[in-house]
Amino acid sequence: MKILEIDIKGFGKFHDRHIEFNDKLNVIYGYNETGKSTMHTFIRAMFYGLERAKGRASKSDTWTKFKPWGNGDTYGGNLRFLYHEKAYRIERDFTKTATTPFNIVNET
């Protein structure tokens, strides 16, 4: 599998961020607090979802931690990848009121 691009609509500190990956090795680097772990969590959340706890634990769960900063109403994005030479797109909406929280599209 190869990740082609990510399109972050709203996730943590990122809003409307589009990143395309090259065919070869891609390295994400930067100073502390620039968003490397946030980007990693976004990619993982696109494939596996986000943990949402109930009660008091919900104040420190992953879903709450990466909720968009500021007034961002959009919480989610898209991820395109190749798997066995076929292109797929995962679309996720992490908001509580999402009518279609997860969608996968075969682009081939």
Side-chain angles (χ1 to χ4, degrees):
M1 177 175 52
K2 179 171 55 170
I3 297 175
L4 301 173
E5 62 187 54
I6 59 175
D7 188 23
I8 304 172
K9 303 293 184 196
F11 195 86
K13 70 184 287 179
F14 295 116
H15 296 278
D16 297 320
R17 176 69 61 102
H18 181 81
I19 299 168
E20 293 183 19
F21 296 99
N22 296 324
D23 286 339
K24 299 191 181 196
L25 178 68
N26 293 273
V27 177
I28 298 171
Y29 67 95
Y31 293 108
N32 290 343
E33 302 299 320
T34 56
K36 299 178 301 289
S37 295
T38 301
M39 193 173 302
H40 172 263
T41 304
F42 175 80
I43 292 170
R44 190 176 67 221
M46 291 305 289
F47 285 110
Y48 304 110
L50 280 177
E51 172 189 347
R52 289 184 62 189
K54 295 181 180 180
R56 274 190 237 172
S58 67
K59 294 179 182 176
S60 61
D61 65 0
T62 308
W63 187 87
T64 304
K65 182 178 178 183
F66 291 100
K67 195 171 178 185
W69 298 1
N71 297 331
D73 293 337
T74 306
Y75 188 11
N78 303 313
L79 181 144
R80 290 186 63 240
F81 65 98
L82 279 178
Y83 182 70
H84 293 296
E85 303 303 321
K86 292 182 181 177
Y88 296 93
R89 183 178 69 245
I90 298 173
E91 303 168 344
R92 278 203 190 256
D93 183 356
F94 298 114
T95 57
K96 292 180 182 180
T97 58
T99 55
T100 308
F102 175 78
N103 191 26
I104 187 162
V105 178
N106 182 342
E107 294 182 341
T108 307

